Amino acid sequence: AQSVTQPDIHITVSEGASLELRCNYSYGATPYLFWYVQSPGQGLQLLLKYFSGDTLVQGIKGFEAEFKRSQSSFNLRKPSVHWSDAAEYFCAVGAVAAGNKLTFGGGTRVLVKP
Amino acid sequence: DAGVIQSPRHEVTEMGQEVTLRCKPISGHNSLFWYRQTMMRGLELLIYFNNNVPIDDSGMPEDRFSAKMPNASFSTLKIQPSEPRDSAVYFCASSSGGPNQPQHFGDGTRLSIL
């Protein structure tokens, strides 16, 4: 079965600084990878997804993520963080063997300092 | 475009009462998912449907929980009788099916059982 690990539970970053959130997955074949963001009181919103092709994918809100097969990672990055990026971020993996289910990581909560 | 619609947004009730949460998926989506989110356990998949048929209910905590999808545009999650430990945010999500399809989440129902 596939699994997803987000090693950082909390990250604090200054506004304007860069941000990188780590995601490691475990799955034997090529996974389908997703990043979601959850603002307080809201549901999860899709930031970006990776299926195949270019390993650097662009998403909404200025985020990007890079798939590295050799490291089983799909880290999320943003060059310059805005105060509105304070939220919880979830990495998820889909797999053919899992049907239509996604496996979510535990989430990383991002705090943005002024 | 209308997203996933959940109702009610908030529910406060006393233990022992029946609780019914409702979800309208995105039109054309054939997969529907119910999740529960708590601080302690994070995001948990309770059950999911494909084409209105329950596929995997292994995440349903116990017999007090039941879910139905009578047609493609409506699903309910029922708790009877409710207990304080059921207090959580319940999310509904839908997708167009397949492990490579992102799930689209509603804004959730915040349930408090007193």
Side-chain angles (χ1 to χ4, degrees), chain B residues 46-80:
Chain B
L46 300 177
I47 185 172
Y48 85 94
F49 296 83
N50 275 356
N51 298 316
N52 313 337
V53 176
I55 301 301
D56 184 348
D57 65 354
S58 59
M60 296 286 263
E62 47 196 279
D63 292 345
R64 297 185 297 106
F65 285 69
S66 62
K68 293 182 179 179
M69 192 164 185
N71 56 62
S73 58
F74 184 66
S75 177
T76 59
L77 178 68
K78 188 172 294 187
I79 309 173
Q80 167 64 19

PDB file of all heavy atoms in Angstrom, chain B residues 46-80:
ATOM      1  N   LEU B  46     -13.586   8.045   5.407  1.00  0.00           N
ATOM      2  CA  LEU B  46     -14.591   7.197   6.035  1.00  0.00           C
ATOM      3  C   LEU B  46     -15.161   6.186   5.040  1.00  0.00           C
ATOM      4  O   LEU B  46     -15.246   4.988   5.308  1.00  0.00           O
ATOM      5  CB  LEU B  46     -15.731   8.051   6.601  1.00  0.00           C
ATOM      6  CG  LEU B  46     -15.326   9.086   7.660  1.00  0.00           C
ATOM      7  CD1 LEU B  46     -16.538   9.909   8.081  1.00  0.00           C
ATOM      8  CD2 LEU B  46     -14.696   8.406   8.856  1.00  0.00           C
ATOM      9  N   ILE B  47     -15.561   6.685   3.873  1.00  0.00           N
ATOM     10  CA  ILE B  47     -16.208   5.847   2.875  1.00  0.00           C
ATOM     11  C   ILE B  47     -16.127   6.537   1.534  1.00  0.00           C
ATOM     12  O   ILE B  47     -16.030   7.775   1.482  1.00  0.00           O
ATOM     13  CB  ILE B  47     -17.691   5.584   3.246  1.00  0.00           C
ATOM     14  CG1 ILE B  47     -18.360   4.599   2.279  1.00  0.00           C
ATOM     15  CG2 ILE B  47     -18.473   6.882   3.332  1.00  0.00           C
ATOM     16  CD1 ILE B  47     -19.760   4.153   2.727  1.00  0.00           C
ATOM     17  N   TYR B  48     -16.122   5.746   0.440  1.00  0.00           N
ATOM     18  CA  TYR B  48     -16.260   6.389  -0.855  1.00  0.00           C
ATOM     19  C   TYR B  48     -17.143   5.561  -1.773  1.00  0.00           C
ATOM     20  O   TYR B  48     -17.274   4.343  -1.622  1.00  0.00           O
ATOM     21  CB  TYR B  48     -14.911   6.747  -1.480  1.00  0.00           C
ATOM     22  CG  TYR B  48     -14.199   5.682  -2.270  1.00  0.00           C
ATOM     23  CD1 TYR B  48     -14.359   5.595  -3.651  1.00  0.00           C
ATOM     24  CD2 TYR B  48     -13.312   4.823  -1.645  1.00  0.00           C
ATOM     25  CE1 TYR B  48     -13.662   4.659  -4.377  1.00  0.00           C
ATOM     26  CE2 TYR B  48     -12.611   3.879  -2.373  1.00  0.00           C
ATOM     27  CZ  TYR B  48     -12.782   3.800  -3.742  1.00  0.00           C
ATOM     28  OH  TYR B  48     -12.095   2.878  -4.477  1.00  0.00           O
ATOM     29  N   PHE B  49     -17.753   6.283  -2.690  1.00  0.00           N
ATOM     30  CA  PHE B  49     -18.711   5.722  -3.651  1.00  0.00           C
ATOM     31  C   PHE B  49     -18.182   5.916  -5.076  1.00  0.00           C
ATOM     32  O   PHE B  49     -17.591   6.957  -5.381  1.00  0.00           O
ATOM     33  CB  PHE B  49     -20.059   6.463  -3.562  1.00  0.00           C
ATOM     34  CG  PHE B  49     -20.782   6.316  -2.257  1.00  0.00           C
ATOM     35  CD1 PHE B  49     -20.460   7.132  -1.171  1.00  0.00           C
ATOM     36  CD2 PHE B  49     -21.814   5.403  -2.109  1.00  0.00           C
ATOM     37  CE1 PHE B  49     -21.146   7.025   0.032  1.00  0.00           C
ATOM     38  CE2 PHE B  49     -22.507   5.291  -0.912  1.00  0.00           C
ATOM     39  CZ  PHE B  49     -22.155   6.098   0.155  1.00  0.00           C
ATOM     40  N   ASN B  50     -18.433   4.949  -5.912  1.00  0.00           N
ATOM     41  CA  ASN B  50     -18.268   5.100  -7.352  1.00  0.00           C
ATOM     42  C   ASN B  50     -19.631   4.848  -7.990  1.00  0.00           C
ATOM     43  O   ASN B  50     -20.240   3.807  -7.731  1.00  0.00           O
ATOM     44  CB  ASN B  50     -17.262   4.101  -7.914  1.00  0.00           C
ATOM     45  CG  ASN B  50     -15.839   4.583  -7.806  1.00  0.00           C
ATOM     46  OD1 ASN B  50     -15.581   5.703  -7.369  1.00  0.00           O
ATOM     47  ND2 ASN B  50     -14.907   3.737  -8.185  1.00  0.00           N
ATOM     48  N   ASN B  51     -20.066   5.775  -8.824  1.00  0.00           N
ATOM     49  CA  ASN B  51     -21.362   5.600  -9.499  1.00  0.00           C
ATOM     50  C   ASN B  51     -22.465   5.213  -8.514  1.00  0.00           C
ATOM     51  O   ASN B  51     -23.249   4.290  -8.765  1.00  0.00           O
ATOM     52  CB  ASN B  51     -21.232   4.561 -10.615  1.00  0.00           C
ATOM     53  CG  ASN B  51     -20.258   4.993 -11.689  1.00  0.00           C
ATOM     54  OD1 ASN B  51     -20.273   6.144 -12.124  1.00  0.00           O
ATOM     55  ND2 ASN B  51     -19.391   4.084 -12.097  1.00  0.00           N
ATOM     56  N   ASN B  52     -22.479   5.875  -7.384  1.00  0.00           N
ATOM     57  CA  ASN B  52     -23.498   5.752  -6.330  1.00  0.00           C
ATOM     58  C   ASN B  52     -23.379   4.464  -5.517  1.00  0.00           C
ATOM     59  O   ASN B  52     -24.205   4.218  -4.648  1.00  0.00           O
ATOM     60  CB  ASN B  52     -24.922   5.841  -6.906  1.00  0.00           C
ATOM     61  CG  ASN B  52     -25.104   6.996  -7.861  1.00  0.00           C
ATOM     62  OD1 ASN B  52     -24.372   7.978  -7.815  1.00  0.00           O
ATOM     63  ND2 ASN B  52     -26.075   6.881  -8.745  1.00  0.00           N
ATOM     64  N   VAL B  53     -22.388   3.651  -5.795  1.00  0.00           N
ATOM     65  CA  VAL B  53     -22.228   2.374  -5.094  1.00  0.00           C
ATOM     66  C   VAL B  53     -21.087   2.498  -4.082  1.00  0.00           C
ATOM     67  O   VAL B  53     -19.990   2.937  -4.455  1.00  0.00           O
ATOM     68  CB  VAL B  53     -21.926   1.235  -6.089  1.00  0.00           C
ATOM     69  CG1 VAL B  53     -21.672  -0.066  -5.351  1.00  0.00           C
ATOM     70  CG2 VAL B  53     -23.066   1.081  -7.088  1.00  0.00           C
ATOM     71  N   PRO B  54     -21.320   2.103  -2.829  1.00  0.00           N
ATOM     72  CA  PRO B  54     -20.220   2.154  -1.863  1.00  0.00           C
ATOM     73  C   PRO B  54     -19.126   1.156  -2.218  1.00  0.00           C
ATOM     74  O   PRO B  54     -19.409  -0.025  -2.417  1.00  0.00           O
ATOM     75  CB  PRO B  54     -20.897   1.817  -0.526  1.00  0.00           C
ATOM     76  CG  PRO B  54     -22.132   1.074  -0.903  1.00  0.00           C
ATOM     77  CD  PRO B  54     -22.571   1.607  -2.227  1.00  0.00           C
ATOM     78  N   ILE B  55     -17.908   1.626  -2.302  1.00  0.00           N
ATOM     79  CA  ILE B  55     -16.788   0.782  -2.719  1.00  0.00           C
ATOM     80  C   ILE B  55     -15.936   0.368  -1.522  1.00  0.00           C
ATOM     81  O   ILE B  55     -15.498  -0.773  -1.432  1.00  0.00           O
ATOM     82  CB  ILE B  55     -15.910   1.512  -3.751  1.00  0.00           C
ATOM     83  CG1 ILE B  55     -16.733   1.903  -4.973  1.00  0.00           C
ATOM     84  CG2 ILE B  55     -14.721   0.653  -4.141  1.00  0.00           C
ATOM     85  CD1 ILE B  55     -17.383   0.729  -5.687  1.00  0.00           C
ATOM     86  N   ASP B  56     -15.689   1.296  -0.642  1.00  0.00           N
ATOM     87  CA  ASP B  56     -14.810   1.021   0.487  1.00  0.00           C
ATOM     88  C   ASP B  56     -15.331   1.781   1.706  1.00  0.00           C
ATOM     89  O   ASP B  56     -15.278   3.003   1.726  1.00  0.00           O
ATOM     90  CB  ASP B  56     -13.384   1.446   0.164  1.00  0.00           C
ATOM     91  CG  ASP B  56     -12.395   1.094   1.263  1.00  0.00           C
ATOM     92  OD1 ASP B  56     -12.812   0.730   2.387  1.00  0.00           O
ATOM     93  OD2 ASP B  56     -11.180   1.202   1.011  1.00  0.00           O
ATOM     94  N   ASP B  57     -15.835   1.047   2.674  1.00  0.00           N
ATOM     95  CA  ASP B  57     -16.329   1.678   3.898  1.00  0.00           C
ATOM     96  C   ASP B  57     -15.479   1.265   5.089  1.00  0.00           C
ATOM     97  O   ASP B  57     -15.940   1.343   6.239  1.00  0.00           O
ATOM     98  CB  ASP B  57     -17.797   1.359   4.138  1.00  0.00           C
ATOM     99  CG  ASP B  57     -18.028  -0.130   4.399  1.00  0.00           C
ATOM    100  OD1 ASP B  57     -17.070  -0.913   4.286  1.00  0.00           O
ATOM    101  OD2 ASP B  57     -19.173  -0.503   4.701  1.00  0.00           O
ATOM    102  N   SER B  58     -14.268   0.845   4.840  1.00  0.00           N
ATOM    103  CA  SER B  58     -13.411   0.353   5.919  1.00  0.00           C
ATOM    104  C   SER B  58     -13.047   1.434   6.924  1.00  0.00           C
ATOM    105  O   SER B  58     -12.635   1.133   8.040  1.00  0.00           O
ATOM    106  CB  SER B  58     -12.132  -0.266   5.343  1.00  0.00           C
ATOM    107  OG  SER B  58     -11.420   0.687   4.576  1.00  0.00           O
ATOM    108  N   GLY B  59     -13.218   2.684   6.551  1.00  0.00           N
ATOM    109  CA  GLY B  59     -12.906   3.767   7.467  1.00  0.00           C
ATOM    110  C   GLY B  59     -14.054   4.197   8.358  1.00  0.00           C
ATOM    111  O   GLY B  59     -13.863   5.020   9.253  1.00  0.00           O
ATOM    112  N   MET B  60     -15.217   3.641   8.145  1.00  0.00           N
ATOM    113  CA  MET B  60     -16.371   3.988   8.985  1.00  0.00           C
ATOM    114  C   MET B  60     -16.097   3.455  10.381  1.00  0.00           C
ATOM    115  O   MET B  60     -15.885   2.246  10.581  1.00  0.00           O
ATOM    116  CB  MET B  60     -17.644   3.384   8.406  1.00  0.00           C
ATOM    117  CG  MET B  60     -17.998   3.957   7.045  1.00  0.00           C
ATOM    118  SD  MET B  60     -18.650   5.617   7.141  1.00  0.00           S
ATOM    119  CE  MET B  60     -20.398   5.260   7.086  1.00  0.00           C
ATOM    120  N   PRO B  61     -16.154   4.333  11.384  1.00  0.00           N
ATOM    121  CA  PRO B  61     -15.688   3.951  12.725  1.00  0.00           C
ATOM    122  C   PRO B  61     -16.484   2.808  13.356  1.00  0.00           C
ATOM    123  O   PRO B  61     -15.907   1.940  13.978  1.00  0.00           O
ATOM    124  CB  PRO B  61     -15.840   5.229  13.540  1.00  0.00           C
ATOM    125  CG  PRO B  61     -16.122   6.319  12.587  1.00  0.00           C
ATOM    126  CD  PRO B  61     -16.557   5.733  11.308  1.00  0.00           C
ATOM    127  N   GLU B  62     -17.764   2.821  13.214  1.00  0.00           N
ATOM    128  CA  GLU B  62     -18.590   1.786  13.846  1.00  0.00           C
ATOM    129  C   GLU B  62     -19.992   1.853  13.272  1.00  0.00           C
ATOM    130  O   GLU B  62     -20.280   2.675  12.406  1.00  0.00           O
ATOM    131  CB  GLU B  62     -18.601   2.001  15.369  1.00  0.00           C
ATOM    132  CG  GLU B  62     -18.854   3.439  15.790  1.00  0.00           C
ATOM    133  CD  GLU B  62     -18.474   3.677  17.242  1.00  0.00           C
ATOM    134  OE1 GLU B  62     -19.280   3.332  18.127  1.00  0.00           O
ATOM    135  OE2 GLU B  62     -17.382   4.217  17.490  1.00  0.00           O
ATOM    136  N   ASP B  63     -20.821   0.961  13.761  1.00  0.00           N
ATOM    137  CA  ASP B  63     -22.154   0.837  13.175  1.00  0.00           C
ATOM    138  C   ASP B  63     -23.027   2.065  13.370  1.00  0.00           C
ATOM    139  O   ASP B  63     -24.070   2.189  12.723  1.00  0.00           O
ATOM    140  CB  ASP B  63     -22.867  -0.387  13.761  1.00  0.00           C
ATOM    141  CG  ASP B  63     -22.220  -1.677  13.314  1.00  0.00           C
ATOM    142  OD1 ASP B  63     -21.428  -1.630  12.352  1.00  0.00           O
ATOM    143  OD2 ASP B  63     -22.497  -2.722  13.930  1.00  0.00           O
ATOM    144  N   ARG B  64     -22.628   2.939  14.235  1.00  0.00           N
ATOM    145  CA  ARG B  64     -23.421   4.162  14.421  1.00  0.00           C
ATOM    146  C   ARG B  64     -23.352   5.057  13.197  1.00  0.00           C
ATOM    147  O   ARG B  64     -24.178   5.948  13.025  1.00  0.00           O
ATOM    148  CB  ARG B  64     -22.910   4.920  15.654  1.00  0.00           C
ATOM    149  CG  ARG B  64     -23.048   4.167  16.960  1.00  0.00           C
ATOM    150  CD  ARG B  64     -22.631   5.038  18.143  1.00  0.00           C
ATOM    151  NE  ARG B  64     -21.225   5.428  18.088  1.00  0.00           N
ATOM    152  CZ  ARG B  64     -20.800   6.640  17.778  1.00  0.00           C
ATOM    153  NH1 ARG B  64     -21.669   7.600  17.494  1.00  0.00           N
ATOM    154  NH2 ARG B  64     -19.505   6.900  17.761  1.00  0.00           N
ATOM    155  N   PHE B  65     -22.368   4.829  12.348  1.00  0.00           N
ATOM    156  CA  PHE B  65     -22.178   5.641  11.153  1.00  0.00           C
ATOM    157  C   PHE B  65     -22.737   4.901   9.941  1.00  0.00           C
ATOM    158  O   PHE B  65     -22.484   3.701   9.762  1.00  0.00           O
ATOM    159  CB  PHE B  65     -20.689   5.908  10.914  1.00  0.00           C
ATOM    160  CG  PHE B  65     -20.077   6.914  11.832  1.00  0.00           C
ATOM    161  CD1 PHE B  65     -19.899   6.644  13.178  1.00  0.00           C
ATOM    162  CD2 PHE B  65     -19.668   8.154  11.343  1.00  0.00           C
ATOM    163  CE1 PHE B  65     -19.330   7.573  14.032  1.00  0.00           C
ATOM    164  CE2 PHE B  65     -19.084   9.092  12.187  1.00  0.00           C
ATOM    165  CZ  PHE B  65     -18.909   8.802  13.528  1.00  0.00           C
ATOM    166  N   SER B  66     -23.466   5.633   9.098  1.00  0.00           N
ATOM    167  CA  SER B  66     -23.936   5.056   7.845  1.00  0.00           C
ATOM    168  C   SER B  66     -23.925   6.142   6.775  1.00  0.00           C
ATOM    169  O   SER B  66     -24.075   7.327   7.082  1.00  0.00           O
ATOM    170  CB  SER B  66     -25.346   4.474   8.001  1.00  0.00           C
ATOM    171  OG  SER B  66     -26.271   5.491   8.349  1.00  0.00           O
ATOM    172  N   ALA B  67     -23.739   5.737   5.541  1.00  0.00           N
ATOM    173  CA  ALA B  67     -23.726   6.682   4.424  1.00  0.00           C
ATOM    174  C   ALA B  67     -24.527   6.108   3.278  1.00  0.00           C
ATOM    175  O   ALA B  67     -24.526   4.894   3.058  1.00  0.00           O
ATOM    176  CB  ALA B  67     -22.305   6.985   3.985  1.00  0.00           C
ATOM    177  N   LYS B  68     -25.185   7.006   2.577  1.00  0.00           N
ATOM    178  CA  LYS B  68     -25.980   6.598   1.422  1.00  0.00           C
ATOM    179  C   LYS B  68     -25.736   7.560   0.278  1.00  0.00           C
ATOM    180  O   LYS B  68     -25.373   8.725   0.485  1.00  0.00           O
ATOM    181  CB  LYS B  68     -27.473   6.593   1.772  1.00  0.00           C
ATOM    182  CG  LYS B  68     -27.883   5.550   2.776  1.00  0.00           C
ATOM    183  CD  LYS B  68     -29.384   5.581   3.017  1.00  0.00           C
ATOM    184  CE  LYS B  68     -29.799   4.507   4.016  1.00  0.00           C
ATOM    185  NZ  LYS B  68     -31.263   4.528   4.288  1.00  0.00           N
ATOM    186  N   MET B  69     -25.954   7.051  -0.911  1.00  0.00           N
ATOM    187  CA  MET B  69     -25.902   7.910  -2.096  1.00  0.00           C
ATOM    188  C   MET B  69     -27.043   7.463  -3.009  1.00  0.00           C
ATOM    189  O   MET B  69     -26.853   6.619  -3.893  1.00  0.00           O
ATOM    190  CB  MET B  69     -24.550   7.812  -2.794  1.00  0.00           C
ATOM    191  CG  MET B  69     -24.357   8.874  -3.839  1.00  0.00           C
ATOM    192  SD  MET B  69     -22.650   9.049  -4.334  1.00  0.00           S
ATOM    193  CE  MET B  69     -22.783  10.472  -5.427  1.00  0.00           C
ATOM    194  N   PRO B  70     -28.226   7.989  -2.801  1.00  0.00           N
ATOM    195  CA  PRO B  70     -29.398   7.535  -3.559  1.00  0.00           C
ATOM    196  C   PRO B  70     -29.366   7.907  -5.037  1.00  0.00           C
ATOM    197  O   PRO B  70     -30.018   7.238  -5.850  1.00  0.00           O
ATOM    198  CB  PRO B  70     -30.558   8.219  -2.847  1.00  0.00           C
ATOM    199  CG  PRO B  70     -29.948   9.395  -2.156  1.00  0.00           C
ATOM    200  CD  PRO B  70     -28.549   9.000  -1.793  1.00  0.00           C
ATOM    201  N   ASN B  71     -28.621   8.959  -5.367  1.00  0.00           N
ATOM    202  CA  ASN B  71     -28.478   9.320  -6.779  1.00  0.00           C
ATOM    203  C   ASN B  71     -27.158  10.062  -6.962  1.00  0.00           C
ATOM    204  O   ASN B  71     -26.438  10.331  -5.990  1.00  0.00           O
ATOM    205  CB  ASN B  71     -29.673  10.174  -7.241  1.00  0.00           C
ATOM    206  CG  ASN B  71     -29.857  11.421  -6.402  1.00  0.00           C
ATOM    207  OD1 ASN B  71     -28.979  12.288  -6.351  1.00  0.00           O
ATOM    208  ND2 ASN B  71     -30.993  11.528  -5.724  1.00  0.00           N
ATOM    209  N   ALA B  72     -26.867  10.400  -8.192  1.00  0.00           N
ATOM    210  CA  ALA B  72     -25.558  10.983  -8.520  1.00  0.00           C
ATOM    211  C   ALA B  72     -25.345  12.376  -7.962  1.00  0.00           C
ATOM    212  O   ALA B  72     -24.232  12.892  -7.994  1.00  0.00           O
ATOM    213  CB  ALA B  72     -25.378  10.997 -10.037  1.00  0.00           C
ATOM    214  N   SER B  73     -26.376  13.005  -7.461  1.00  0.00           N
ATOM    215  CA  SER B  73     -26.236  14.389  -7.027  1.00  0.00           C
ATOM    216  C   SER B  73     -26.462  14.589  -5.534  1.00  0.00           C
ATOM    217  O   SER B  73     -26.590  15.723  -5.072  1.00  0.00           O
ATOM    218  CB  SER B  73     -27.210  15.278  -7.807  1.00  0.00           C
ATOM    219  OG  SER B  73     -28.540  14.846  -7.617  1.00  0.00           O
ATOM    220  N   PHE B  74     -26.474  13.506  -4.767  1.00  0.00           N
ATOM    221  CA  PHE B  74     -26.776  13.672  -3.349  1.00  0.00           C
ATOM    222  C   PHE B  74     -26.247  12.502  -2.533  1.00  0.00           C
ATOM    223  O   PHE B  74     -26.381  11.341  -2.928  1.00  0.00           O
ATOM    224  CB  PHE B  74     -28.296  13.791  -3.162  1.00  0.00           C
ATOM    225  CG  PHE B  74     -28.723  14.059  -1.745  1.00  0.00           C
ATOM    226  CD1 PHE B  74     -28.399  15.256  -1.125  1.00  0.00           C
ATOM    227  CD2 PHE B  74     -29.453  13.127  -1.035  1.00  0.00           C
ATOM    228  CE1 PHE B  74     -28.803  15.526   0.179  1.00  0.00           C
ATOM    229  CE2 PHE B  74     -29.859  13.373   0.267  1.00  0.00           C
ATOM    230  CZ  PHE B  74     -29.536  14.578   0.876  1.00  0.00           C
ATOM    231  N   SER B  75     -25.662  12.848  -1.389  1.00  0.00           N
ATOM    232  CA  SER B  75     -25.208  11.820  -0.456  1.00  0.00           C
ATOM    233  C   SER B  75     -25.433  12.306   0.965  1.00  0.00           C
ATOM    234  O   SER B  75     -25.433  13.511   1.236  1.00  0.00           O
ATOM    235  CB  SER B  75     -23.722  11.522  -0.664  1.00  0.00           C
ATOM    236  OG  SER B  75     -23.254  10.566   0.278  1.00  0.00           O
ATOM    237  N   THR B  76     -25.642  11.356   1.869  1.00  0.00           N
ATOM    238  CA  THR B  76     -25.785  11.682   3.284  1.00  0.00           C
ATOM    239  C   THR B  76     -24.856  10.814   4.113  1.00  0.00           C
ATOM    240  O   THR B  76     -24.542   9.680   3.764  1.00  0.00           O
ATOM    241  CB  THR B  76     -27.223  11.451   3.780  1.00  0.00           C
ATOM    242  OG1 THR B  76     -27.582  10.078   3.573  1.00  0.00           O
ATOM    243  CG2 THR B  76     -28.211  12.343   3.069  1.00  0.00           C
ATOM    244  N   LEU B  77     -24.407  11.393   5.209  1.00  0.00           N
ATOM    245  CA  LEU B  77     -23.665  10.672   6.234  1.00  0.00           C
ATOM    246  C   LEU B  77     -24.452  10.840   7.523  1.00  0.00           C
ATOM    247  O   LEU B  77     -24.718  11.956   7.952  1.00  0.00           O
ATOM    248  CB  LEU B  77     -22.257  11.235   6.395  1.00  0.00           C
ATOM    249  CG  LEU B  77     -21.379  10.596   7.479  1.00  0.00           C
ATOM    250  CD1 LEU B  77     -21.027   9.162   7.107  1.00  0.00           C
ATOM    251  CD2 LEU B  77     -20.095  11.406   7.676  1.00  0.00           C
ATOM    252  N   LYS B  78     -24.816   9.710   8.127  1.00  0.00           N
ATOM    253  CA  LYS B  78     -25.680   9.755   9.304  1.00  0.00           C
ATOM    254  C   LYS B  78     -24.960   9.140  10.501  1.00  0.00           C
ATOM    255  O   LYS B  78     -24.258   8.117  10.357  1.00  0.00           O
ATOM    256  CB  LYS B  78     -26.981   9.013   9.004  1.00  0.00           C
ATOM    257  CG  LYS B  78     -28.047   9.136  10.071  1.00  0.00           C
ATOM    258  CD  LYS B  78     -29.366   8.525   9.609  1.00  0.00           C
ATOM    259  CE  LYS B  78     -29.973   9.287   8.462  1.00  0.00           C
ATOM    260  NZ  LYS B  78     -31.337   8.803   8.101  1.00  0.00           N
ATOM    261  N   ILE B  79     -25.142   9.765  11.629  1.00  0.00           N
ATOM    262  CA  ILE B  79     -24.605   9.238  12.886  1.00  0.00           C
ATOM    263  C   ILE B  79     -25.778   9.077  13.848  1.00  0.00           C
ATOM    264  O   ILE B  79     -26.493  10.033  14.136  1.00  0.00           O
ATOM    265  CB  ILE B  79     -23.553  10.183  13.511  1.00  0.00           C
ATOM    266  CG1 ILE B  79     -22.490  10.562  12.490  1.00  0.00           C
ATOM    267  CG2 ILE B  79     -22.905   9.510  14.724  1.00  0.00           C
ATOM    268  CD1 ILE B  79     -21.518  11.634  12.980  1.00  0.00           C
ATOM    269  N   GLN B  80     -25.977   7.861  14.300  1.00  0.00           N
ATOM    270  CA  GLN B  80     -27.079   7.581  15.197  1.00  0.00           C
ATOM    271  C   GLN B  80     -26.757   6.398  16.094  1.00  0.00           C
ATOM    272  O   GLN B  80     -26.572   5.283  15.592  1.00  0.00           O
ATOM    273  CB  GLN B  80     -28.350   7.282  14.393  1.00  0.00           C
ATOM    274  CG  GLN B  80     -29.503   6.674  15.167  1.00  0.00           C
ATOM    275  CD  GLN B  80     -30.068   7.588  16.247  1.00  0.00           C
ATOM    276  OE1 GLN B  80     -29.855   8.793  16.230  1.00  0.00           O
ATOM    277  NE2 GLN B  80     -30.767   6.998  17.209  1.00  0.00           N
TER     278      GLN B  80
END
